[in-house]
Amino acid sequence: MTVSVKYSTSATATGGGRDGASALDDGGLVIKMTPPKELGGSGQGNNPEQLFAMGYASCYLSAMRFVAGAEKLGAVPPEASVRASVGIGPRSDGGFGLTVKIEVSMPGVDRAVAEKIAERGHAVCPYSHATKGNIVVETVVI
């Protein structure tokens, strides 16, 4: 598979990684990174899982809007939302792993249509491509 890159961005982590800082190289965003209390940190900053959840939710909502129009599946209403919950913990084979639960809300859209749009959204979302076969991603239309 090849990718024709249309946009690229970079960020740099400093300090202790999960306990330090992370900043976009263009200066647009600087975040204090702190492990969550559940992983022994203070929880007084943000962590990579939170940022991944925000990115995946935003990207996936855009992917559903794109695919709904491109495949003439109907419209994703302006009040639609995607909630991505990211979990982290030890893997049974060593190291750490992630899980993702995606909750899709499309008020006023027939459930079968919403489920089809949600399913097809994974076909174009780059986050879904990156995680496919690597981590468990559960998608629920609520």
Side-chain angles (χ1 to χ4, degrees), residues 25-41:
D25 289 353
D26 69 5
L29 180 64
V30 178
I31 297 176
K32 176 183 176 187
M33 304 297 282
T34 308
K37 290 180 180 180
E38 297 84 350
L39 295 179

Side-chain angles (χ1 to χ4, degrees), residues 16-87:
R18 286 182 169 271
D19 197 3
S22 190
L24 293 177
D25 289 353
D26 69 5
L29 180 64
V30 178
I31 297 176
K32 176 183 176 187
M33 304 297 282
T34 308
K37 290 180 180 180
E38 297 84 350
L39 295 179
S42 70
Q44 297 299 310
N46 294 101
N47 61 68
E49 292 71 38
Q50 291 172 320
L51 302 176
F52 184 66
M54 291 173 72
Y56 202 158
S58 298
C59 188
Y60 186 69
L61 180 55
S62 292
M64 288 192 312
R65 289 187 187 288
F66 174 83
V67 78
E71 297 185 14
K72 298 182 180 17
L73 298 173
V76 175
E79 61 275 8
S81 65
V82 170
R83 178 179 186 202
S85 300
V86 175

